[in-house]
Structure formats: C-alpha cells, structure tokens
Amino acid sequence: MNATKKTIMIVEDDSFVMDIYETKITKEGISVIKAVNGAEAIKKLENGAKPDLILLDIIMPYMDGLEVLKKIQADDNLNKIPVVLLTNLSQKEEIQEGFELGAKDYLIKSHFTPSEVMEKINKYLV
C-alpha cells in the first residue's frame, strides 16, 4: 500500500461547488489544493504544486479550463497529471475538445454526487 498522501487540485470558480468537493475529498484523506480560476491554477503549478490529479472546471474567468489544459499538456513536468473536467450538461463541444487536449474523463456537475466524484477520482489516483 502506498503510504504517501495523495493531493488533488480543484480548479473551480464556484465557491459552493468547491466547498462540496473539498469537504468530500479531505474526508477521504486526500489533500486539496484550491484554485479559483485557471490563471491561479497555472501559477500554483508553475510554483511547484504537484497534484496527483486535477479536477478542472471548464467555464471560469481569466483563463478557462481548456486554456489551462493546453498549458498543462505543453509542459513536460505537468502533462502526466490526469485531468478530469468539471462540466455542465450543455458543454458537449468543450468536453470533446477537452478529450482531444488530453483530459482523462469528465464529470457533469449537476449529475454526480460527491461519492460518485470520489469514485471517478479513485479511478485515476494510482
């Protein structure tokens, strides 16, 4: 069994959604790095944050999730980190583009309970 504590970065501009995910994830014994927009996420990653997985909202101010994903995929130090997109139901084109950019999976926010979110997370936390 791997004794090192896992870390997830949540990039989400909705504080309510952020709080729900953060509460559920920390209860599972996983550390959380929070970023309220894409620019903040990139800054934290460039400053040495090393999450084991990134939950990435697509629609955010300053820099959207697809821009963040492009930057992550272009960086050899970051492009091995699995990214799961947080989306809304109407974002089929963005989800497709996210997969093309290297996202591993996506969650439609309104359709997943926090427990289902943890199932998805655990699938990619190796």
Side-chain angles (χ1 to χ4, degrees):
M1 183 168 142
N2 189 351
T4 56
K5 189 168 184 175
K6 297 291 185 183
T7 302
I8 291 177
M9 175 179 275
I10 306 172
V11 188
E12 169 61 68
D13 62 321
D14 181 324
S15 60
F16 178 74
V17 173
M18 173 76 84
D19 288 347
I20 290 170
Y21 288 158
E22 181 186 17
T23 300
K24 181 64 180 172
I25 291 166
T26 53
K27 277 186 180 162
E28 299 289 329
I30 300 169
S31 298
V32 171
I33 301 167
K34 299 192 295 188
V36 295
N37 60 58
E40 183 183 354
I42 291 298
K43 188 173 184 182
K44 287 184 175 188
L45 290 166
E46 287 174 346
N47 288 337
K50 291 275 182 241
D52 297 290
L53 181 135
I54 299 171
L55 286 178
L56 180 60
D57 188 16
I58 292 181
I59 308 256
M60 295 180 291
Y62 309 115
M63 181 188 297
D64 71 28
L66 296 176
E67 280 298 308
V68 173
L69 193 52
K70 286 176 191 165
K71 289 186 177 293
I72 289 169
Q73 293 304 324
D75 187 323
D76 287 338
N77 293 317
L78 304 175
N79 62 17
K80 307 285 184 284
I81 302 170
V83 175
V84 175
L85 299 173
L86 296 173
T87 67
N88 293 312
L89 191 55
S90 59
Q91 295 177 266
K92 296 209 179 343
E93 294 82 15
E94 289 92 341
I95 292 166
Q96 185 58 43
E97 186 177 347
F99 279 132
E100 290 167 10
L101 291 169
K104 296 286 183 227
D105 212 333
Y106 70 95
L107 293 164
I108 296 173
K109 289 187 246 184
S110 60
H111 285 210
F112 282 86
T113 66
S115 298
E116 289 169 319
V117 170
M118 281 312 304
E119 283 176 31
K120 284 255 193 198
I121 287 169
N122 287 325
K123 184 172 161 185
Y124 297 104
L125 278 185
V126 186

